[in-house]
Amino acid sequence: MSDALSPVFAALADPTRRAILAMLLEDDMAVTDVAAPLSISLAAVSKHLGVLARAGLIQQEKRGRVVWCKLDPDAMRGASAWMQGFGQFDDLDLDALEALLGDPNPGD
């Protein structure tokens, strides 16, 4: 059995990689443009991009001497479907919980 979700969740676990995905959500970008707003080296950005590519979250294409990165719009579909399986639980209603437990300070 293949576990396609583990690489996706491992890639999403890092805040730098999530920031990169957010940038690529707007438009395709050259690697140097991805690196520009980040406070890490170009080599570190390339490693993060490699993790995202291996997880299938992005695609990279070399055009001349420039490597372009593109978000794969279907890449998170499996992870999203898995997480939606947990959507059966209602949000916690704190007001109802307080009423159920009773107000320990009546009249306040």
Side-chain angles (χ1 to χ4, degrees), residues 1-106:
M1 179 169 97
S2 173
D3 179 16
L5 291 180
S6 289
V8 171
F9 283 118
L12 294 173
D14 185 273
T16 300
R17 290 193 285 269
R18 291 193 305 269
I20 291 170
L21 289 174
M23 286 188 281
L24 293 175
L25 185 60
E26 300 296 321
D27 200 4
D28 299 356
M29 298 176 77
V31 171
T32 53
D33 293 333
V34 171
L38 302 173
S39 59
I40 57 176
S41 69
L42 186 58
V45 169
S46 292
K47 286 183 181 183
H48 282 296
L49 291 171
V51 170
L52 292 169
R54 285 189 297 280
L57 295 169
I58 66 167
Q59 298 171 2
Q60 293 181 299
E61 177 186 343
K62 191 165 186 174
R63 299 180 201 160
R65 294 175 37 173
V66 178
V67 177
W68 285 83
C69 302
K70 175 183 179 179
L71 184 68
D72 185 339
D74 295 325
M76 286 189 261
R77 190 171 307 239
S80 177
W82 184 84
M83 288 185 293
Q84 286 177 356
F86 294 95
Q88 65 200 11
F89 302 107
D90 293 330
D91 291 337
L92 180 60
D93 184 349
L94 295 177
D95 291 332
L97 179 61
E98 183 180 16
L100 178 66
L101 297 176
D103 188 354
N105 300 314

